Amino acid sequence: MPRHVHQDAAAGNATGTIQWNGNGSTYPQGTEGEGQEHMLEGQGAAKDDALHLKRRLGLFSGVALIVGTMIGSGIFVSPTGVLERTGSVGVSFAIWISCGVLSLLGALAYAELGTMNTSSGAEYAYFMDAFGPLPAFLFSWVSTLVLKPSQMAIISLSFGRYVVEPFVGDCEPSGVAMKLVAVLIILVILVINCYSVNLATGVQNVFTAAKMVAIMIVICGGMYQLQKGNTHHLQTPFEPISQERASASLADIATAFYTGLWAYDGWNNLNYVTEEIKNPSRNLPLSIIIAIPMVTICYVLINVSYLTVMSPDALLESEAVAVTFGNLTLGVMAWLIPLSVAISTFGSANGTLFAAGRLCFAASREGHLMNILSYVHIRRLTPAPGLIFHSLIAIIMVVSGSIDSLIDFFSFTAWIFYGGAMLALIVMRKTRRDAPRPYKVSESFLKESISSTPS
């Protein structure tokens, strides 16, 4: 089937987008930019060459995408929710560590899936292989209309909260102001991702490095407080923080897991862009093995840091835990914390949209989503329609939703599909025994991942 190219009628040059619809057709070559613009955009489509997303992500970019997406708003929003639902410091730490282990188990299963099937789209591609088009079709619509936009909305609202917070002092941040900032940041990230893959990954790398510096500031502040002997709130970790929270029910533990897992979400985002990873059989599993333990250690140490200067009750009362920590420890430099959170959430939102556009591209070229979402820019090679579509839905969710309700809904729905992807791997162990597997996770490890899935 021919590709459809939007052309400038006057100039006769291909200047718009091009659709993936098969192989072998020719199309006009895009006008190349020069200098830095050319470097950002990459090479245009060559005549008689099949359109594809170019492999531009190395190991550092892979680790940056995972870490940069995982460490977003969650660690700055979720500590309150986890502690409130568990009722004790010790149980909350157990939840944080368990969520990290569960995320690593799931990610290792995804590493085998991603090296066996190097198509972009993550769960969508794996459902197609294991179960056929119907489950893949359902996933593509649920993820496109619900999962990815809600994830983007949560991160953007958290960005809005931490940007507005320093300007209102002790007053409650205006909901309207927070939502306006959230919408603005979605639009900025959309422009970056539509303009250039290289620019989007460059932004991701820079912001990931910046957020790791910010996290080290918090951790070092906490270690300094520990050295001074501020361990009062950590000495009896399993005592209830109040009589009202003397014991946590199974339902409380389950919802605490969902809150913690939100902070870890993003561990699978590299699988959405497998077609753009250099040497995926090496860089995909290695990125996962480096990134997720790093994030888990950071999360545990950040929670320890919070509790060196705040009592559990004070932590529960804080609307912006990291800002409160900064005010108590950094003095005149307290402004670094809201700036750091803004950097962190911006990078996470950028990585989320980067991955979401590739899901649209992968599903729509199979006919499972609207045809226009399979278009990519002929010269910039960015899936612009999919990116725009996700951003519009995310903006609607920002206007109509709240952070806490979106987190609970997102985590429950997302882990149903994560468990389904791990089941797909077991199925393909039987149906595709001879498929090459550069990386293979053990059978017992895989079954443990599925049995631990909190859906």
Side-chain angles (χ1 to χ4, degrees):
M1 295 176 67
R3 298 179 178 86
H4 302 287
V5 184
H6 294 274
Q7 295 182 321
D8 185 329
N13 292 326
T15 58
T17 57
I18 185 166
Q19 181 186 16
W20 177 287
N21 251 346
N23 295 317
S25 300
T26 62
Y27 48 88
Q29 186 171 357
T31 303
E32 294 296 339
E34 296 180 357
Q36 185 177 6
E37 182 180 4
H38 176 77
M39 181 180 66
L40 284 173
E41 294 172 4
Q43 295 179 353
K47 187 174 181 180
D48 296 326
D49 194 20
L51 180 69
H52 60 279
L53 299 173
K54 294 184 179 294
R55 296 193 182 276
R56 297 172 177 171
L57 304 181
L59 177 61
F60 182 81
S61 292
V63 173
L65 181 62
I66 296 174
V67 173
T69 308
M70 289 178 72
I71 302 178
S73 61
I75 191 58
F76 307 109
V77 174
S78 297
T80 300
V82 173
L83 184 59
E84 180 179 18
R85 289 162 177 174
T86 56
S88 76
V89 171
V91 177
S92 71
F93 275 107
I95 294 292
W96 281 107
I97 295 170
S98 299
C99 288
V101 172
L102 180 57
S103 297
L104 180 60
L105 291 174
L108 291 174
Y110 271 59
E112 179 177 339
L113 286 164
T115 54
M116 182 175 63
N117 180 347
T118 57
S119 298
S120 292
E123 293 91 353
Y124 173 81
Y126 312 146
F127 289 169
M128 280 285 288
D129 273 359
F131 308 126
L134 181 57
F137 171 82
L138 293 174
F139 170 78
S140 65
W141 277 99
V142 172
S143 186
T144 300
L145 294 177
V146 178
L147 292 181
K148 290 299 180 184
S150 66
Q151 187 180 19
M152 184 79 174
I154 295 166
I155 297 169
S156 301
L157 283 169
S158 299
F159 178 92
R161 170 182 288 180
Y162 276 89
V163 168
V164 172
E165 182 89 16
F167 296 99
V168 296
D170 295 330
C171 301
E172 183 71 18
S174 166
V176 174
M178 288 167 50
K179 292 184 177 184
L180 284 174
V181 173
V183 171
L184 177 62
I185 203 62
I186 290 174
L187 294 176
V188 170
I189 292 170
L190 173 62
V191 171
I192 291 171
N193 279 267
C194 285
Y195 182 77
S196 167
V197 173
N198 288 345
L199 178 60
T201 56
V203 166
Q204 191 67 30
N205 293 347
V206 170
F207 275 74
T208 298
K211 78 173 64 179
M212 292 307 296
V213 171
I215 284 172
M216 289 309 299
I217 291 174
V218 175
I219 292 174
C220 290
M223 296 305 102
Y224 176 72
Q225 295 297 325
L226 283 177
Q227 188 180 15
K228 288 173 61 178
N230 293 335
T231 60
H232 176 69
H233 305 304
L234 299 168
Q235 290 176 350
T236 54
F238 291 98
E239 283 191 4
I241 57 179
S242 66
Q243 291 300 321
E244 292 80 9
R245 301 183 179 92
S247 62
S249 66
L250 287 177
D252 291 331
I253 297 296
T255 54
F257 256 104
Y258 287 132
T259 305
L261 287 171
W262 156 248
Y264 282 95
D265 199 77
W267 53 264
N268 63 327
N269 269 2
L270 194 59
N271 289 68
Y272 281 94
V273 298
T274 315
E275 292 179 27
E276 297 171 79
I277 302 174
K278 301 172 184 176
N279 191 11
S281 61
R282 171 186 178 272
N283 287 335
L284 176 60
L286 195 55
S287 296
I288 288 168
I289 291 168
I290 294 172
I292 297 178
M294 182 193 303
V295 172
T296 304
I297 293 169
C298 286
Y299 281 3
V300 172
L301 292 178
I302 287 173
N303 276 280
V304 170
S305 298
Y306 288 156
L307 289 166
T308 59
V309 295
M310 284 184 278
S311 68
D313 286 331
L315 195 149
L316 291 177
E317 292 172 0
S318 175
E319 286 291 326
V321 182
V323 171
T324 303
F325 174 86
N327 291 337
L328 293 172
T329 59
L330 298 180
V332 295
M333 301 299 289
W335 57 269
L336 282 173
I337 295 297
L339 175 63
S340 300
V341 178
I343 289 172
S344 181
T345 49
F346 185 93
S348 183
N350 181 72
T352 299
L353 186 61
F354 186 87
R358 276 65 186 172
L359 171 62
C360 275
F361 173 79
S364 57
R365 70 183 176 185
E366 298 291 340
H368 287 171
L369 290 175
M370 292 171 288
N371 201 37
I372 193 174
L373 299 181
S374 67
Y375 282 45
V376 299
H377 196 280
I378 194 171
R379 186 156 54 90
R380 303 185 190 281
L381 297 180
T382 56
L387 295 167
I388 294 170
F389 185 70
H390 272 288
S391 299
L392 289 175
I393 299 176
I395 288 172
I396 293 171
M397 289 186 171
V398 164
V399 172
S400 60
S402 66
I403 293 177
D404 291 336
S405 62
L406 287 171
I407 287 175
D408 289 341
F409 175 73
F410 171 85
S411 295
F412 176 79
T413 309
W415 275 91
I416 292 175
F417 289 112
Y418 297 160
M422 296 169 203
L423 181 61
L425 181 52
I426 289 182
V427 170
M428 286 191 282
R429 288 275 181 92
K430 309 298 181 184
T431 59
R432 299 184 60 187
R433 294 177 183 271
D434 299 328
R437 290 175 168 84
Y439 173 85
K440 187 174 181 179
V441 68
S442 71
E443 193 85 19
S444 59
F445 219 47
L446 180 57
K447 289 179 179 177
E448 181 68 24
S449 300
I450 295 176
S451 64
S452 302
T453 302
S455 56

